[in-house]
Amino acid sequence: MSDNLAHALSGAGGGIISMMITYPLVAISSRLQVQKSNSLRKDEHYKNTVDAFVKIINREGPKGLYSGFASGIFGIAVTNGVYYYCYEAVKKLVTKQGQGPITTTQSMISGSLAGIAVVIATHPIWTVNTRMSVQRRTLSNKSKRPTTLQVFLYILKKEGIAGLYSGCKAAMILVMNPIIQYAIFENLKTRLVTSKGGLSGLDYFLLGALSKLCATIIMYPYILIKSRLQMSENTKERNIGVLENMRLVVKNEGIVGLYSGLNSKLLQSVLSSAFLFYAKEVLFDWSVWILVVLKARKSMQ
């Protein structure tokens, strides 16, 4: 039986572990991305990652760093599960049932189709997560934070399906992010396997970090626009297009505006990817064993 499901399970598990470790950076980078220099009072504006961390702790307590945590965990599990299942399925098709090393072109084809499937399946989850993670609260505010379902229903009622898919165009362009990442990862992995004969957990950790670093730097302006559109309830702003939104950011905030929150996003993305690749490799054998026990897969013996 195909190992696609084992890859999906180990990818989902690895994503959950990496998200649990790095979520405060997810919340901080989201807030830095969506804030506009002229829309907040000076004392409410986050200067950088450290400043955001200190202000969130002082005003909201540690819970502020975990706004939208449940939706983030759910989102990453579904995202990685769908991505790895589709990626491995397409990869087997383009490499003749997985025989031989995957080429850069084959990796890009696999990543493109898997990425499109992920956007269609999970974009509403990340729209909800973005809105929840940037909510500003104070320690004196004792009212309960809205749940993931409540935010989902609010967006659906007020903005319709279009609201849940705000920033979807930018997200489709960001399909290139994992393509770039996996193309770099697979290329370096093949080179290391050829030279070393095998890879350790540390090798996977470092390869995941390096490939994600390159992909994030290249695609960051699209990440920023996607986050801002997911926060926007302005239909006109959502309909003018990704490039036009970029032009407006440059006009109002300068080129540097396209890279707001880059430092925290790089740190979060690199750490998350490194832990993901490491955890996925560790969890893969366990996933296979679980599927064998559940009789969802034949034993290799």
Side-chain angles (χ1 to χ4, degrees), residues 262-277:
L262 175 61
N263 290 340
S264 58
K265 184 61 179 178
L266 278 179
L267 181 59
Q268 181 267 323
S269 295
V270 169
L271 287 176
S272 178
S273 185
F275 283 116
L276 166 61
F277 276 95

Side-chain angles (χ1 to χ4, degrees), residues 18-33 46 48-54 56-57 62-67 69 126 129 133-134 220 223 227 260-273 275:
S18 66
M19 181 65 81
M20 290 175 67
I21 295 171
T22 65
Y23 193 80
L25 287 169
V26 173
I28 289 173
S29 64
S30 293
R31 296 195 187 197
L32 287 169
Q33 286 164 10
Y46 302 132
N48 50 47
T49 302
V50 175
D51 182 59
F53 178 84
V54 172
I56 292 172
I57 290 293
K63 287 185 178 180
L65 295 172
Y66 289 89
S67 299
F69 180 69
W126 293 114
N129 175 257
S133 65
V134 302
Y220 189 77
I223 296 174
S227 294
S260 299
L262 175 61
N263 290 340
S264 58
K265 184 61 179 178
L266 278 179
L267 181 59
Q268 181 267 323
S269 295
V270 169
L271 287 176
S272 178
S273 185
F275 283 116

Side-chain angles (χ1 to χ4, degrees), residues 62-281:
K63 287 185 178 180
L65 295 172
Y66 289 89
S67 299
F69 180 69
S71 61
I73 292 295
F74 177 67
I76 200 65
V78 176
T79 294
N80 282 9
V82 172
Y83 187 88
Y84 279 107
Y85 185 90
C86 294
Y87 181 84
E88 293 297 328
V90 177
K91 177 179 166 182
K92 282 182 171 59
L93 290 176
V94 299
T95 59
K96 297 181 180 179
Q97 300 302 313
Q99 299 300 314
I102 187 170
T103 66
T104 300
T105 300
Q106 291 168 338
S107 178
M108 291 179 68
I109 293 172
S110 301
S112 296
L113 296 178
I116 291 170
V118 164
V119 172
I120 294 172
T122 69
H123 193 79
I125 301 173
W126 293 114
T127 298
V128 171
N129 175 257
T130 298
R131 298 201 184 188
M132 294 183 73
S133 65
V134 302
Q135 290 176 343
R136 298 188 180 218
R137 311 276 288 187
T138 62
L139 290 171
S140 60
N141 189 337
K142 302 299 182 181
S143 61
K144 291 184 178 180
R145 294 177 182 272
T147 64
T148 300
L149 180 59
Q150 287 172 334
V151 174
F152 176 87
L153 293 176
Y154 171 82
I155 297 173
L156 187 61
K157 180 180 179 180
K158 189 172 182 180
E159 304 170 47
I161 295 294
L164 292 171
Y165 280 90
S166 299
C168 187
K169 292 178 182 177
M172 283 295 184
I173 296 172
L174 282 169
V175 166
M176 287 296 296
N177 194 307
I179 293 173
I180 294 170
Q181 178 187 0
Y182 280 94
I184 294 172
F185 177 84
E186 293 286 357
N187 188 274
L188 293 177
K189 176 183 173 182
T190 300
R191 291 173 182 270
L192 281 178
V193 169
T194 301
S195 62
K196 296 178 62 175
L199 299 181
S200 66
L202 179 60
D203 289 326
Y204 280 106
F205 185 93
L206 294 176
L207 285 177
L210 179 59
S211 58
K212 190 63 175 181
L213 175 67
C214 296
T216 301
I217 291 175
I218 294 170
M219 301 302 295
Y220 189 77
Y222 293 96
I223 296 174
L224 180 132
I225 294 300
K226 178 178 72 72
S227 294
R228 292 196 177 187
L229 289 174
Q230 285 177 314
M231 280 298 300
S232 177
E233 297 182 18
N234 187 323
T235 303
K236 182 179 179 181
E237 187 177 55
R238 295 204 302 255
N239 290 338
I240 62 174
V242 176
L243 294 179
E244 181 63 16
N245 271 288
M246 282 189 184
R247 189 189 69 77
L248 291 175
V249 171
V250 173
K251 179 181 178 180
N252 296 325
E253 304 171 49
I255 292 292
V256 70
L258 290 174
Y259 292 90
S260 299
L262 175 61
N263 290 340
S264 58
K265 184 61 179 178
L266 278 179
L267 181 59
Q268 181 267 323
S269 295
V270 169
L271 287 176
S272 178
S273 185
F275 283 116
L276 166 61
F277 276 95
Y278 176 76
K280 180 182 180 296
E281 293 305 316

